[in-house]
Amino acid sequence: MTQQLIVGVIVAIAALYAVWRWMPAGWRRSAAQKVAAGSHRAGLVDRERADELAASLAKSSGCGSCDSCGACAKSDAPAADAKFSPR
């Protein structure tokens, strides 16, 4: 019975992570603010740590969501006016 509970908790945590990871960036930022505010109201963290928590949770993990990495702004590709002719 204990093993089933442990597996259930692990699966639930993995599901929450997957939902958080693939959540749209706007929703993730809003949810991060709510989680941080709730932890501050509950007395778990002070205001400064709550702000740090919100910033940390709002970040995307890795590429794919285009909300904070800035990779799209930096381009090492040739200029747009350069001609490419396939052979």
Side-chain angles (χ1 to χ4, degrees), residues 29-47 49-55 57:
R29 283 189 291 270
S30 175
Q33 288 294 332
K34 290 177 184 175
V35 167
S39 64
H40 177 64
R41 275 194 308 272
L44 300 174
V45 295
D46 60 356
R47 173 49 62 193
R49 288 289 294 158
D51 292 339
E52 291 174 10
L53 176 64
L57 289 174

